[in-house]
Amino acid sequence: MEYTIQKLAEIAGVSTRTLRYYDELGILKPARINSSGYRIYGQYEVNLMQQILFYRELGLQLNQIKDIITDPSFDFSRALKEHKERLLDKRSQLDLLIENVEKTIAQSEGRITMTDSEKFEGFKRRALNENEDQFGKEIREKYGEETINKYNENFMNMPKEKYEESVKIENELMETLTEAMKTGDPAGELAQKAAQLHKQWLTFYWPTYSKEAHAGVAQMYVDDERFTAYYDKNQPGTAQFLRDAVAIYTGIKE
């Protein structure tokens, strides 16, 4: 069955402008242009549109979606199974947050007692799931299942005070990096302080520390555009500067 751009927009719940934009980006092109100059979409494009909407629902950016669906190895059936797994994870996450709210209500009414750690369990699980969705594949391939599973376990079992300390260290790291960037010297005192703070922050989550892994993580900040975007959001070049500072701090260059 074939659809005009108007009809596909209607059944997909998007605007025709969105479909035209997807065409311009090369994410979803029509199967053909008819003699009247209208875009015509076939079953393949309908299925692809569904995939795009699934990925958007999971929080992926359009450039990420394009990379996935234009990959020669892209497989519809496998993608649907992955969507199901991620949606089930999101449902579990929402169930945990709902349970967390219900417990907090019960505590406020004096029906139960609730530890400080329990109050933050749902939020920590959400942060962990988001991290897995964004970076799980890459970091598991680089550091192995056992290492990442231990990291996740440490994060979930981290006491409230320790978690707050890790956030404090991370904020200090970003502030120090901003000042160090002004010097332009990754070997300077401020840059090396930033590398030390980065090590401190990592050790809150890692079961063990090694200079090789530290340098590897810093390199990944440069190699993966998503990490780069996080560090460069306020000042372009920050990820590369941190990578260089850590390479000097650890004495290891990848």
Side-chain angles (χ1 to χ4, degrees):
M1 188 170 181
E2 292 187 327
Y3 299 91
T4 62
I5 188 172
Q6 186 72 40
K7 189 61 178 177
L8 179 58
E10 181 182 330
I11 65 172
V14 300
S15 66
T16 56
R17 183 179 179 182
T18 295
L19 292 178
R20 291 190 183 95
Y21 184 53
Y22 287 175
D23 185 2
E24 291 174 12
L25 292 179
I27 296 177
L28 181 69
K29 290 189 168 296
R32 62 186 179 87
I33 305 294
N34 69 12
S35 58
S36 301
Y38 292 109
R39 292 172 172 87
I40 302 297
Y41 298 85
Q43 193 60 54
Y44 176 84
E45 289 72 34
V46 171
N47 293 342
L48 196 58
M49 184 64 198
Q50 184 192 39
Q51 294 290 337
I52 292 169
L53 293 178
F54 276 136
Y55 283 121
R56 289 303 302 271
E57 183 66 25
L58 292 169
L60 273 69
Q61 301 298 313
L62 289 176
N63 63 321
Q64 295 173 292
I65 297 172
K66 181 179 179 180
D67 289 342
I68 293 170
I69 64 177
T70 58
D71 189 310
S73 63
F74 179 73
D75 179 85
F76 276 107
S77 179
R78 185 177 65 191
L80 285 171
K81 291 175 183 177
E82 290 175 353
H83 292 322
K84 180 181 177 181
E85 290 177 4
R86 291 185 178 186
L87 290 169
L88 287 172
D89 285 341
K90 288 188 74 172
R91 184 170 71 181
S92 297
Q93 173 189 323
L94 288 172
D95 287 343
L96 187 59
L97 286 172
I98 291 169
E99 181 184 354
N100 193 276
V101 170
E102 288 175 343
K103 284 183 177 179
T104 305
I105 292 171
Q107 183 196 36
S108 69
E109 295 174 349
R111 291 184 281 117
I112 65 168
T113 58
M114 191 178 186
T115 67
D116 287 340
S117 294
E118 287 177 318
K119 292 176 183 177
F120 293 96
E121 184 179 354
F123 299 103
K124 288 165 73 176
R125 174 60 64 185
R126 182 178 63 182
L128 199 63
N129 288 343
E130 289 175 350
N131 187 65
E132 280 285 343
D133 285 343
Q134 286 187 281
F135 311 116
K137 181 180 178 181
E138 290 84 354
I139 59 178
R140 287 178 182 278
E141 287 177 352
K142 190 173 182 68
Y143 298 106
E145 292 286 336
E146 184 178 356
T147 298
I148 301 306
N149 288 340
K150 284 183 179 179
Y151 163 91
N152 291 345
E153 183 180 354
N154 284 350
F155 179 72
M156 287 304 300
N157 294 329
M158 186 181 293
K160 173 176 173 287
E161 294 77 12
K162 190 175 180 181
Y163 175 71
E164 289 175 347
E165 180 65 18
S166 75
V167 173
K168 179 182 176 183
I169 293 294
E170 184 179 14
N171 290 336
E172 186 179 355
L173 162 63
M174 299 307 289
E175 291 171 3
T176 304
L177 263 178
T178 299
E179 294 303 310
M181 284 280 288
K182 295 176 183 178
T183 71
D185 182 10
E189 182 179 348
L190 277 174
Q192 290 305 292
K193 179 183 177 182
Q196 168 64 24
L197 287 167
H198 188 249
K199 173 188 174 180
Q200 282 183 252
W201 177 72
L202 289 174
T203 56
F204 278 99
Y205 303 95
W206 284 3
T208 58
Y209 170 84
S210 74
K211 291 182 177 180
E212 292 77 12
H214 189 181
V217 165
Q219 181 63 48
M220 187 166 62
Y221 294 163
V222 176
D223 294 340
D224 191 305
E225 63 181 17
R226 292 166 296 176
F227 284 105
T228 303
Y230 172 78
Y231 280 96
D232 286 10
K233 60 185 175 183
N234 294 324
Q235 193 169 11
T238 301
Q240 184 172 339
F241 186 85
L242 177 58
R243 186 274 310 273
D244 294 343
V246 169
I248 294 167
Y249 179 80
T250 60
I252 297 171
K253 293 186 178 182
E254 291 212 343

